[in-house]
Amino acid sequence: MSGGQNGVTRAPDLVVVFLRWTWARAVLHNGWWLVTSVYLVVDAQLTAAQLVFVGTAQGITALVCEIPAGVLADTLSRKWSLVVSHVLMGTAMMATGLVTEFWAVVGTQMLWGLSWTFASGADVAWVTDELARPEKISAVLVRSGRAQLTGAAAGLIGFGVLASFLDRGTAMVLAGAAMLLLGLYVVSRFREERFVPAPARRWSASWSILKRGSALVRHNRAILLVFAATFLVNGASDAFARLHPQRLFDIGFPPEPLILFTGLGIVALLVGALALRMVEARMNDARAAQRGYAVACVAGAVGLLALAVAPEEVSGSAAVLLVAGTALPLTRTIGTIWVNQQSTDDVRATVHSFLAQAEYAGEIVCGAAVALLAGAAGLPYALVGCGVLFAVTTWLIRRLGTSRTDSDRPV
């Protein structure tokens, strides 16, 4: 009885700690990236080809290291995996602000990509296990998605102002130092009382976890369909992120649009937070989650098609908000919740790492296909291609609703 009482009293505190950390990390990550995106062009003077190469090198690093990092989190510790992520991330953020030579930037960004592999999946696995209340975790993950969006908005504003008073490199170094300090928050406030580390033979235990996680993914049709949906949606989303600024330029945005893009980004984040708030109470209902994902994909398809044919900047901005403020946050959060519901405690971080690999693979494969389409037929047709990817995903999600078996139901 006393253990149960302890679990009840500590749960709200645990959730608050997790949400505060999520919000603060989003502030630092997104604020740093706003400044960095300008720094790489203006201060480091990287060409378009070099910028693409940096992103590709980062993505490949994350793709290769994602599964080993997830297995380590399931084998040793979810909490300390997050601490390692903070150490690597803060170091990469600081180092990027201190260099301008191309290959040095590539190295710091590969380290940045590596840092995320230690966090993806470990954070969701930690809060799921430590909360130990399956009926509550979906709502917590939705609140976490909202915290990421509002934190991102705060980061854009805060670091945009900071970089206007300091030079960009200094602002980036300060953000990295703050990310290191946030790792100390994880050390002091993230308790790990329910996780059971693997036995002394770490290698064989890690291999066993990898096999069990792989088997769960292969034999669970719901997870496979969500992975396929994530592959398509993330490929379309990444291409959209790279293409929509140029489309807005083409239909009327001014040549110095920093304030407009910042404002549009903040509004999209707040719209996304509102959309997640609207669906929060229904995420434990599998049918409601399926409908929410499908609606988000329809919104993405409509928004991308509208952006492709928009005649001027107002309608184009509205289309961007439909995609960035509705489709992207809903699909990302609901997909994470679905996979988390289907996972078991012993391989949870590993399965989330497989999900992250689907995201990276979608960025590489679908992104390359959209880039080829843009080169062959033009930017509007590339946006239509992204819309088609969202439409195909809608069909996949409808298949999920007709193919669930008892073994596919959330645990």
Short mmCIF file of all heavy atoms in Angstrom, two decimals, residues 209-255:
data_model
loop_
_atom_site.label_atom_id
_atom_site.label_comp_id
_atom_site.label_asym_id
_atom_site.label_seq_id
_atom_site.Cartn_x
_atom_site.Cartn_y
_atom_site.Cartn_z
N ILE A 209 18.06 -7.50 -26.60
CA ILE A 209 17.10 -6.38 -26.67
C ILE A 209 16.86 -5.98 -28.12
O ILE A 209 15.73 -5.74 -28.54
CB ILE A 209 17.61 -5.20 -25.83
CG1 ILE A 209 17.49 -5.51 -24.34
CG2 ILE A 209 16.84 -3.91 -26.17
CD1 ILE A 209 18.13 -4.49 -23.43
N LEU A 210 17.94 -5.90 -28.90
CA LEU A 210 17.80 -5.54 -30.30
C LEU A 210 16.94 -6.56 -31.04
O LEU A 210 16.05 -6.19 -31.83
CB LEU A 210 19.18 -5.44 -30.95
CG LEU A 210 19.20 -5.13 -32.45
CD1 LEU A 210 18.53 -3.80 -32.74
CD2 LEU A 210 20.63 -5.13 -32.98
N LYS A 211 17.15 -7.85 -30.80
CA LYS A 211 16.36 -8.88 -31.47
C LYS A 211 14.89 -8.82 -31.05
O LYS A 211 14.00 -8.96 -31.90
CB LYS A 211 16.95 -10.26 -31.17
CG LYS A 211 18.29 -10.55 -31.84
CD LYS A 211 18.61 -12.03 -31.81
CE LYS A 211 18.77 -12.54 -30.41
NZ LYS A 211 19.16 -13.97 -30.38
N ARG A 212 14.64 -8.61 -29.76
CA ARG A 212 13.25 -8.55 -29.30
C ARG A 212 12.55 -7.31 -29.86
O ARG A 212 11.39 -7.37 -30.25
CB ARG A 212 13.18 -8.55 -27.77
CG ARG A 212 13.64 -9.84 -27.13
CD ARG A 212 13.13 -9.98 -25.71
NE ARG A 212 13.50 -8.86 -24.87
CZ ARG A 212 14.64 -8.78 -24.19
NH1 ARG A 212 15.55 -9.75 -24.30
NH2 ARG A 212 14.90 -7.75 -23.41
N GLY A 213 13.24 -6.19 -29.89
CA GLY A 213 12.65 -4.99 -30.46
C GLY A 213 12.36 -5.14 -31.94
O GLY A 213 11.30 -4.74 -32.43
N SER A 214 13.31 -5.74 -32.67
CA SER A 214 13.12 -5.97 -34.09
C SER A 214 11.95 -6.92 -34.34
O SER A 214 11.14 -6.72 -35.25
CB SER A 214 14.41 -6.53 -34.69
OG SER A 214 14.24 -6.85 -36.05
N ALA A 215 11.85 -7.97 -33.52
CA ALA A 215 10.75 -8.93 -33.68
C ALA A 215 9.41 -8.27 -33.41
O ALA A 215 8.42 -8.53 -34.12
CB ALA A 215 10.96 -10.11 -32.74
N LEU A 216 9.35 -7.41 -32.39
CA LEU A 216 8.10 -6.71 -32.10
C LEU A 216 7.66 -5.86 -33.28
O LEU A 216 6.48 -5.85 -33.67
CB LEU A 216 8.27 -5.84 -30.85
CG LEU A 216 7.09 -4.95 -30.47
CD1 LEU A 216 5.87 -5.80 -30.13
CD2 LEU A 216 7.45 -4.05 -29.30
N VAL A 217 8.60 -5.14 -33.88
CA VAL A 217 8.28 -4.29 -35.03
C VAL A 217 7.83 -5.14 -36.22
O VAL A 217 6.82 -4.85 -36.86
CB VAL A 217 9.50 -3.43 -35.42
CG1 VAL A 217 9.26 -2.72 -36.74
CG2 VAL A 217 9.81 -2.41 -34.31
N ARG A 218 8.55 -6.22 -36.50
CA ARG A 218 8.23 -7.05 -37.68
C ARG A 218 6.87 -7.71 -37.58
O ARG A 218 6.18 -7.87 -38.58
CB ARG A 218 9.31 -8.13 -37.89
CG ARG A 218 10.66 -7.60 -38.30
CD ARG A 218 11.52 -8.73 -38.87
NE ARG A 218 11.47 -9.94 -38.06
CZ ARG A 218 12.28 -10.21 -37.06
NH1 ARG A 218 13.20 -9.31 -36.71
NH2 ARG A 218 12.19 -11.34 -36.40
N HIS A 219 6.46 -8.09 -36.38
CA HIS A 219 5.25 -8.89 -36.23
C HIS A 219 4.03 -8.07 -35.80
O HIS A 219 2.96 -8.64 -35.60
CB HIS A 219 5.49 -10.01 -35.21
CG HIS A 219 6.54 -10.99 -35.66
ND1 HIS A 219 7.69 -11.23 -34.96
CD2 HIS A 219 6.62 -11.78 -36.77
CE1 HIS A 219 8.43 -12.13 -35.59
NE2 HIS A 219 7.78 -12.47 -36.70
N ASN A 220 4.20 -6.76 -35.65
CA ASN A 220 3.08 -5.91 -35.26
C ASN A 220 2.69 -5.05 -36.46
O ASN A 220 3.38 -4.11 -36.83
CB ASN A 220 3.47 -5.04 -34.07
CG ASN A 220 2.28 -4.31 -33.48
OD1 ASN A 220 1.59 -3.58 -34.18
ND2 ASN A 220 2.05 -4.48 -32.19
N ARG A 221 1.56 -5.40 -37.08
CA ARG A 221 1.14 -4.70 -38.31
C ARG A 221 0.88 -3.22 -38.07
O ARG A 221 1.17 -2.38 -38.93
CB ARG A 221 -0.11 -5.38 -38.88
CG ARG A 221 -0.51 -4.87 -40.26
CD ARG A 221 -1.66 -5.69 -40.82
NE ARG A 221 -2.05 -5.23 -42.13
CZ ARG A 221 -1.45 -5.58 -43.27
NH1 ARG A 221 -0.42 -6.40 -43.23
NH2 ARG A 221 -1.88 -5.12 -44.44
N ALA A 222 0.33 -2.90 -36.90
CA ALA A 222 0.05 -1.50 -36.60
C ALA A 222 1.35 -0.68 -36.57
O ALA A 222 1.42 0.41 -37.13
CB ALA A 222 -0.68 -1.39 -35.26
N ILE A 223 2.40 -1.22 -35.93
CA ILE A 223 3.67 -0.50 -35.88
C ILE A 223 4.25 -0.35 -37.27
O ILE A 223 4.75 0.73 -37.65
CB ILE A 223 4.66 -1.24 -34.95
CG1 ILE A 223 4.23 -1.10 -33.49
CG2 ILE A 223 6.07 -0.69 -35.12
CD1 ILE A 223 5.18 -1.74 -32.50
N LEU A 224 4.20 -1.40 -38.08
CA LEU A 224 4.75 -1.31 -39.44
C LEU A 224 4.04 -0.24 -40.26
O LEU A 224 4.68 0.52 -41.01
CB LEU A 224 4.64 -2.67 -40.13
CG LEU A 224 5.59 -3.77 -39.63
CD1 LEU A 224 5.28 -5.09 -40.31
CD2 LEU A 224 7.04 -3.36 -39.87
N LEU A 225 2.71 -0.17 -40.14
CA LEU A 225 1.97 0.85 -40.88
C LEU A 225 2.29 2.25 -40.39
O LEU A 225 2.42 3.19 -41.19
CB LEU A 225 0.47 0.59 -40.79
CG LEU A 225 -0.05 -0.59 -41.62
CD1 LEU A 225 -1.51 -0.87 -41.32
CD2 LEU A 225 0.14 -0.31 -43.12
N VAL A 226 2.45 2.42 -39.07
CA VAL A 226 2.83 3.72 -38.55
C VAL A 226 4.23 4.10 -39.00
O VAL A 226 4.52 5.26 -39.34
CB VAL A 226 2.71 3.75 -37.01
CG1 VAL A 226 3.29 5.04 -36.45
CG2 VAL A 226 1.26 3.61 -36.58
N PHE A 227 5.15 3.12 -39.05
CA PHE A 227 6.49 3.39 -39.57
C PHE A 227 6.44 3.85 -41.02
O PHE A 227 7.13 4.78 -41.43
CB PHE A 227 7.36 2.15 -39.45
CG PHE A 227 7.97 1.94 -38.09
CD1 PHE A 227 7.45 2.57 -36.97
CD2 PHE A 227 9.06 1.11 -37.92
CE1 PHE A 227 8.00 2.38 -35.71
CE2 PHE A 227 9.63 0.91 -36.68
CZ PHE A 227 9.08 1.54 -35.57
N ALA A 228 5.61 3.16 -41.83
CA ALA A 228 5.47 3.55 -43.23
C ALA A 228 4.89 4.96 -43.35
O ALA A 228 5.34 5.77 -44.18
CB ALA A 228 4.58 2.55 -43.97
N ALA A 229 3.88 5.25 -42.53
CA ALA A 229 3.29 6.59 -42.54
C ALA A 229 4.33 7.63 -42.14
O ALA A 229 4.43 8.71 -42.75
CB ALA A 229 2.09 6.63 -41.59
N THR A 230 5.15 7.32 -41.12
CA THR A 230 6.19 8.25 -40.67
C THR A 230 7.22 8.49 -41.76
O THR A 230 7.69 9.62 -41.96
CB THR A 230 6.87 7.68 -39.40
OG1 THR A 230 5.89 7.53 -38.37
CG2 THR A 230 7.98 8.59 -38.93
N PHE A 231 7.59 7.43 -42.46
CA PHE A 231 8.55 7.54 -43.57
C PHE A 231 8.05 8.54 -44.61
O PHE A 231 8.79 9.44 -45.05
CB PHE A 231 8.73 6.16 -44.19
CG PHE A 231 9.57 6.13 -45.44
CD1 PHE A 231 10.95 6.03 -45.36
CD2 PHE A 231 8.98 6.18 -46.70
CE1 PHE A 231 11.72 5.99 -46.52
CE2 PHE A 231 9.74 6.15 -47.85
CZ PHE A 231 11.12 6.05 -47.77
N LEU A 232 6.78 8.43 -45.00
CA LEU A 232 6.22 9.31 -46.03
C LEU A 232 6.02 10.73 -45.51
O LEU A 232 6.39 11.71 -46.18
CB LEU A 232 4.89 8.73 -46.53
CG LEU A 232 4.96 7.39 -47.25
CD1 LEU A 232 3.56 6.86 -47.51
CD2 LEU A 232 5.75 7.50 -48.55
N VAL A 233 5.41 10.85 -44.33
CA VAL A 233 5.10 12.18 -43.78
C VAL A 233 6.38 12.95 -43.49
O VAL A 233 6.48 14.15 -43.79
CB VAL A 233 4.24 12.04 -42.51
CG1 VAL A 233 4.23 13.34 -41.72
CG2 VAL A 233 2.82 11.65 -42.88
N ASN A 234 7.38 12.29 -42.91
CA ASN A 234 8.60 13.02 -42.58
C ASN A 234 9.36 13.42 -43.84
O ASN A 234 9.98 14.49 -43.88
CB ASN A 234 9.50 12.17 -41.68
CG ASN A 234 10.23 12.99 -40.65
OD1 ASN A 234 9.61 13.64 -39.82
ND2 ASN A 234 11.55 12.99 -40.71
N GLY A 235 9.31 12.57 -44.88
CA GLY A 235 9.92 12.97 -46.14
C GLY A 235 9.26 14.19 -46.73
O GLY A 235 9.92 15.14 -47.17
N ALA A 236 7.91 14.21 -46.71
CA ALA A 236 7.18 15.37 -47.21
C ALA A 236 7.43 16.59 -46.34
O ALA A 236 7.58 17.72 -46.85
CB ALA A 236 5.68 15.05 -47.26
N SER A 237 7.48 16.40 -45.03
CA SER A 237 7.66 17.52 -44.10
C SER A 237 9.02 18.17 -44.27
O SER A 237 9.14 19.41 -44.28
CB SER A 237 7.51 17.04 -42.66
OG SER A 237 6.24 16.46 -42.45
N ASP A 238 10.07 17.34 -44.41
CA ASP A 238 11.41 17.89 -44.57
C ASP A 238 11.52 18.67 -45.88
O ASP A 238 12.11 19.76 -45.93
CB ASP A 238 12.43 16.76 -44.54
CG ASP A 238 13.86 17.26 -44.57
OD1 ASP A 238 14.29 17.88 -43.58
OD2 ASP A 238 14.55 17.04 -45.58
N ALA A 239 10.95 18.12 -46.95
CA ALA A 239 10.98 18.82 -48.23
C ALA A 239 10.18 20.12 -48.15
O ALA A 239 10.61 21.17 -48.67
CB ALA A 239 10.41 17.93 -49.33
N PHE A 240 9.03 20.08 -47.48
CA PHE A 240 8.22 21.29 -47.29
C PHE A 240 9.02 22.36 -46.55
O PHE A 240 8.99 23.55 -46.92
CB PHE A 240 6.95 20.94 -46.52
CG PHE A 240 6.27 22.12 -45.88
CD1 PHE A 240 5.49 22.98 -46.63
CD2 PHE A 240 6.42 22.36 -44.51
CE1 PHE A 240 4.87 24.07 -46.04
CE2 PHE A 240 5.80 23.44 -43.91
CZ PHE A 240 5.02 24.30 -44.67
N ALA A 241 9.74 21.97 -45.51
CA ALA A 241 10.52 22.94 -44.73
C ALA A 241 11.57 23.64 -45.59
O ALA A 241 11.85 24.83 -45.39
CB ALA A 241 11.18 22.24 -43.55
N ARG A 242 12.14 22.91 -46.54
CA ARG A 242 13.17 23.50 -47.39
C ARG A 242 12.59 24.31 -48.54
O ARG A 242 13.22 25.25 -49.03
CB ARG A 242 14.06 22.39 -47.95
CG ARG A 242 14.82 21.62 -46.88
CD ARG A 242 15.59 20.45 -47.48
NE ARG A 242 16.21 19.64 -46.46
CZ ARG A 242 17.39 19.88 -45.90
NH1 ARG A 242 18.09 20.94 -46.30
NH2 ARG A 242 17.88 19.09 -44.97
N LEU A 243 11.36 23.95 -48.99
CA LEU A 243 10.81 24.56 -50.20
C LEU A 243 9.88 25.74 -49.94
O LEU A 243 9.80 26.65 -50.78
CB LEU A 243 10.04 23.50 -51.01
CG LEU A 243 10.86 22.35 -51.58
CD1 LEU A 243 9.93 21.34 -52.25
CD2 LEU A 243 11.91 22.85 -52.56
N HIS A 244 9.18 25.74 -48.80
CA HIS A 244 8.15 26.77 -48.66
C HIS A 244 8.70 28.20 -48.57
O HIS A 244 8.04 29.14 -49.04
CB HIS A 244 7.21 26.46 -47.48
CG HIS A 244 7.73 26.85 -46.14
ND1 HIS A 244 8.40 25.99 -45.31
CD2 HIS A 244 7.65 28.03 -45.46
CE1 HIS A 244 8.72 26.60 -44.20
NE2 HIS A 244 8.28 27.84 -44.25
N PRO A 245 9.92 28.44 -48.00
CA PRO A 245 10.41 29.83 -48.05
C PRO A 245 10.59 30.34 -49.47
O PRO A 245 10.23 31.49 -49.78
CB PRO A 245 11.75 29.74 -47.30
CG PRO A 245 11.61 28.55 -46.40
CD PRO A 245 10.81 27.57 -47.20
N GLN A 246 11.15 29.49 -50.35
CA GLN A 246 11.34 29.92 -51.73
C GLN A 246 10.00 30.18 -52.42
O GLN A 246 9.85 31.14 -53.19
CB GLN A 246 12.13 28.87 -52.51
CG GLN A 246 12.46 29.27 -53.94
CD GLN A 246 13.30 30.53 -53.99
OE1 GLN A 246 14.38 30.58 -53.37
NE2 GLN A 246 12.84 31.55 -54.71
N ARG A 247 9.00 29.35 -52.13
CA ARG A 247 7.67 29.57 -52.73
C ARG A 247 7.07 30.89 -52.26
O ARG A 247 6.47 31.62 -53.07
CB ARG A 247 6.76 28.39 -52.35
CG ARG A 247 5.32 28.52 -52.88
CD ARG A 247 5.28 28.62 -54.38
NE ARG A 247 3.92 28.73 -54.87
CZ ARG A 247 3.59 29.14 -56.09
NH1 ARG A 247 4.54 29.51 -56.96
NH2 ARG A 247 2.32 29.20 -56.47
N LEU A 248 7.24 31.21 -50.99
CA LEU A 248 6.73 32.49 -50.48
C LEU A 248 7.47 33.67 -51.11
O LEU A 248 6.87 34.72 -51.37
CB LEU A 248 6.83 32.53 -48.96
CG LEU A 248 5.90 31.56 -48.21
CD1 LEU A 248 6.15 31.63 -46.70
CD2 LEU A 248 4.43 31.88 -48.50
N PHE A 249 8.77 33.51 -51.34
CA PHE A 249 9.50 34.55 -52.08
C PHE A 249 8.90 34.75 -53.47
O PHE A 249 8.68 35.87 -53.93
CB PHE A 249 10.97 34.16 -52.24
CG PHE A 249 11.81 34.41 -51.04
CD1 PHE A 249 12.69 33.45 -50.57
CD2 PHE A 249 11.75 35.62 -50.35
CE1 PHE A 249 13.47 33.67 -49.46
CE2 PHE A 249 12.53 35.85 -49.23
CZ PHE A 249 13.40 34.88 -48.79
N ASP A 250 8.62 33.64 -54.14
CA ASP A 250 8.14 33.69 -55.52
C ASP A 250 6.79 34.40 -55.65
O ASP A 250 6.51 35.01 -56.69
CB ASP A 250 8.02 32.28 -56.10
CG ASP A 250 9.37 31.61 -56.29
OD1 ASP A 250 10.40 32.31 -56.25
OD2 ASP A 250 9.39 30.36 -56.45
N ILE A 251 5.95 34.30 -54.60
CA ILE A 251 4.60 34.88 -54.71
C ILE A 251 4.45 36.18 -53.94
O ILE A 251 3.32 36.67 -53.78
CB ILE A 251 3.53 33.87 -54.25
CG1 ILE A 251 3.76 33.44 -52.81
CG2 ILE A 251 3.52 32.66 -55.18
CD1 ILE A 251 2.71 32.48 -52.27
N GLY A 252 5.58 36.78 -53.47
CA GLY A 252 5.42 38.13 -52.94
C GLY A 252 6.13 38.49 -51.67
O GLY A 252 6.09 39.67 -51.27
N PHE A 253 6.79 37.54 -50.95
CA PHE A 253 7.51 37.93 -49.74
C PHE A 253 8.67 38.86 -50.11
O PHE A 253 9.30 38.69 -51.15
CB PHE A 253 8.03 36.69 -49.03
CG PHE A 253 7.19 36.27 -47.84
CD1 PHE A 253 5.81 36.32 -47.91
CD2 PHE A 253 7.78 35.84 -46.67
CE1 PHE A 253 5.03 35.93 -46.83
CE2 PHE A 253 7.01 35.45 -45.59
CZ PHE A 253 5.63 35.50 -45.66
N PRO A 254 8.97 39.84 -49.25
CA PRO A 254 10.05 40.78 -49.55
C PRO A 254 11.42 40.11 -49.47
O PRO A 254 11.57 39.03 -48.87
CB PRO A 254 9.90 41.84 -48.45
CG PRO A 254 9.24 41.13 -47.33
CD PRO A 254 8.31 40.14 -47.97
N PRO A 255 12.45 40.72 -50.04
CA PRO A 255 13.78 40.11 -50.06
C PRO A 255 14.45 40.05 -48.69
O PRO A 255 15.42 39.32 -48.52
CB PRO A 255 14.58 41.02 -51.02
CG PRO A 255 13.84 42.31 -51.01
CD PRO A 255 12.41 41.97 -50.84
#
